[in-house]
Amino acid sequence: MSYTLNVVAVSGSLHSPSKTTALVREILDVLGNELAIDVHLIELSEIGREFSGALNRDELSDAAEQELRKIENADLLIVASPVYRASFTGLFKHVFDFVGQYALIDKPVLLAATGGSDRHALILEHQFRPLFSFFQALTLPLGVYAKDSDFTNYRVTSDELRERIRQSITRGLPQVRASLPSELFADSTAIVW
């Protein structure tokens, strides 16, 4: 019996269609080619209003609470946002303000972002890593940054970007595996990498 990795992806884009969501889907496709995954994609362009008026977690709707629980219970998080005023979107941060402070300890997180040009690529290091460091999550060694020219009609068309995605996943898989319960490895057929 093989183990299916519970992957939750969060796209912080406030628009649809979205290059950020297209990037997340591409990452999920590449990851799915590497191992068995069960995917839940949270698009803030669709669910964001469920979070926007709340000041604390007990004010959230049932739909928003369910999404937070999925984030907290994932085996792997993939988080992405467009660069907006030198950071991730405010709604992206607002959603993670509701996540339990200790719910992401040792959880692997693949960081991704989109922006107009390469000038914004350091968002991964200067915005995302500190946020997930607060949660004591394990950010994977390589994040994925994509610029506008990597897309055509909201689809990834850059082979260089596809290679960066593959490299990020390849370099991150050992951390993902190390984060899983050791009893999954008692049977050597449980996880196929």
Side-chain angles (χ1 to χ4, degrees), residues 83-143:
V83 176
Y84 184 73
R85 300 192 185 206
S87 187
F88 29 66
T89 61
L91 188 55
F92 177 90
K93 174 62 167 64
H94 189 59
V95 168
F96 279 92
D97 284 344
F98 293 118
V99 171
Q101 181 174 348
Y102 305 108
L104 304 183
I105 291 175
D106 294 334
K107 187 176 303 294
V109 181
L110 191 154
L111 309 174
T114 57
S117 73
D118 286 333
R119 291 182 308 225
H120 304 293
L122 286 175
I123 184 176
L124 297 173
E125 305 305 321
H126 293 276
Q127 299 295 318
F128 278 95
R129 285 199 199 278
L131 173 62
F132 290 95
S133 177
F134 164 81
F135 285 111
Q136 301 175 57
L138 299 174
T139 56
L140 299 186
L142 297 177

Side-chain angles (χ1 to χ4, degrees), residues 31-111:
L31 182 63
N33 289 333
E34 295 295 319
L35 56 127
I37 59 174
D38 180 33
V39 174
H40 180 72
L41 174 59
I42 299 170
E43 294 181 62
L44 296 190
S45 62
E46 294 178 2
I47 189 103
R49 285 184 175 82
E50 298 288 330
F51 292 91
S52 61
L55 298 178
N56 54 61
R57 191 160 172 168
D58 62 2
E59 294 177 356
L60 291 174
S61 68
D62 289 341
E65 179 62 32
Q66 287 175 13
E67 299 294 27
L68 288 177
R69 288 185 186 157
K70 288 185 184 296
I71 289 170
E72 293 171 343
N73 293 313
D75 292 327
L76 169 65
L77 282 178
I78 297 171
V79 297
S81 175
V83 176
Y84 184 73
R85 300 192 185 206
S87 187
F88 29 66
T89 61
L91 188 55
F92 177 90
K93 174 62 167 64
H94 189 59
V95 168
F96 279 92
D97 284 344
F98 293 118
V99 171
Q101 181 174 348
Y102 305 108
L104 304 183
I105 291 175
D106 294 334
K107 187 176 303 294
V109 181
L110 191 154
L111 309 174

